[in-house]
Amino acid sequence: VHELGHYLAYRRYGVPVEGVYIGGPPWILRWRRGGTEYRLGLLPLFGAVASKWEEVDRLPPGRVLGLFLSGPLFSFLAGVLGFLALGVMKGNLVAVGKVLLLILAFPFILLQNLYQALFLDLPEMGAVPLVQASGQVLVSHGLEGLLVLWGVFNIVLFWFNLLPVPPLDGGQAVFLLFRHRAWFDRVYPYVLGFGFAVLFALFELALLKDVVRLWG
């Protein structure tokens, strides 16, 4: 859903799409259609819509923002629709309204957990406890549990991608607004490298905790 938002925005603004990647390497499926290469990978929680930088650079600032923020917007709408469907199923839209209000607190919770993961310790970090907890919710609550997970994951993805750190969408959108400034070409590679380092550190920490948990 997130990458679909980016893809539709690229098409809407007439920017040629070179690649659509769902997941990360190793790639299990690759095909080409209409000048666009599509890839499906085994590495979860990754995705991208790729195009030539020259095509993006010709757009006005408002459309550059649209390209990068369309993905988080689709994630947000998907999460809200999931919670609304849950409210309709349970016949309690008031409770759904309270849940949607809690969405405003997500950035603070997210930043706290990121800080703990990078500088302190987050015991439940990793893919294994995430899968275990998700499985328990699905087994215990069925379709209702699926809607809860759908809503939560999409809202977290929305807020996470708005963090002002490239290569996340929020960081890209904010930073690329300054792409015509004289200092941009000198500073941007370092900012982008810092962002990749943070994401890589989070991924490595999660992977390390899973390895220790499984084999320790």
Side-chain angles (χ1 to χ4, degrees):
V1 173
H2 181 94
E3 299 306 331
L4 176 62
H6 287 307
Y7 178 82
L8 293 177
Y10 274 78
R11 292 298 192 194
R12 173 67 177 83
Y13 297 147
V15 179
V17 176
E18 292 189 330
V20 177
Y21 312 126
I22 305 300
W27 307 109
I28 56 175
L29 285 177
R30 299 175 66 166
W31 70 97
R32 181 174 292 275
R33 181 179 180 184
T36 302
E37 182 185 32
Y38 298 87
R39 298 183 186 183
L40 181 63
L42 288 177
L43 190 63
L45 303 180
F46 283 85
V49 175
S51 68
K52 291 183 178 179
W53 165 244
E54 294 80 6
E55 296 290 341
V56 176
D57 192 47
R58 67 178 175 80
L59 296 176
R63 292 196 170 186
V64 173
L65 280 174
L67 287 181
F68 287 102
L69 298 184
S70 56
L73 175 61
F74 267 54
S75 295
F76 177 80
L77 294 176
V80 170
L81 287 175
F83 287 127
L84 286 177
L86 178 64
V88 171
M89 179 180 296
K90 296 180 69 66
N92 190 352
L93 291 178
V94 175
V96 174
K98 294 179 180 179
V99 170
L100 294 180
L101 288 177
L102 287 176
I103 290 174
L104 298 176
F106 267 60
F108 305 101
I109 300 171
L110 182 62
L111 289 173
Q112 179 185 11
N113 281 279
L114 287 175
Y115 177 81
Q116 287 182 302
L118 287 172
F119 301 108
L120 300 172
D121 185 38
L122 196 61
E124 296 304 316
M125 184 180 180
V128 171
L130 178 63
V131 172
Q132 290 174 339
S134 301
Q136 291 173 358
V137 171
L138 290 175
V139 170
S140 302
H141 301 284
L143 181 56
E144 292 182 4
L146 178 62
L147 289 174
V148 170
L149 292 175
W150 172 268
V152 169
F153 285 152
N154 275 286
I155 295 300
V156 170
L157 188 62
F158 162 72
W159 281 118
F160 182 73
N161 272 279
L162 288 185
L163 292 175
V165 179
L168 298 177
D169 294 321
Q172 293 281 70
V174 171
F175 210 76
L176 290 178
L177 288 177
F178 301 98
R179 68 191 187 281
H180 296 305
R181 301 294 179 90
W183 48 263
F184 179 83
D185 289 335
R186 298 192 304 272
V187 175
Y188 184 69
Y190 295 100
V191 176
L192 188 62
F194 171 77
F196 273 114
V198 171
L199 294 180
F200 182 75
L202 287 171
F203 178 76
E204 288 297 314
L205 283 170
L207 181 63
L208 180 61
K209 284 180 176 292
D210 283 343
V211 170
V212 171
R213 186 179 293 106
L214 290 173
W215 303 103

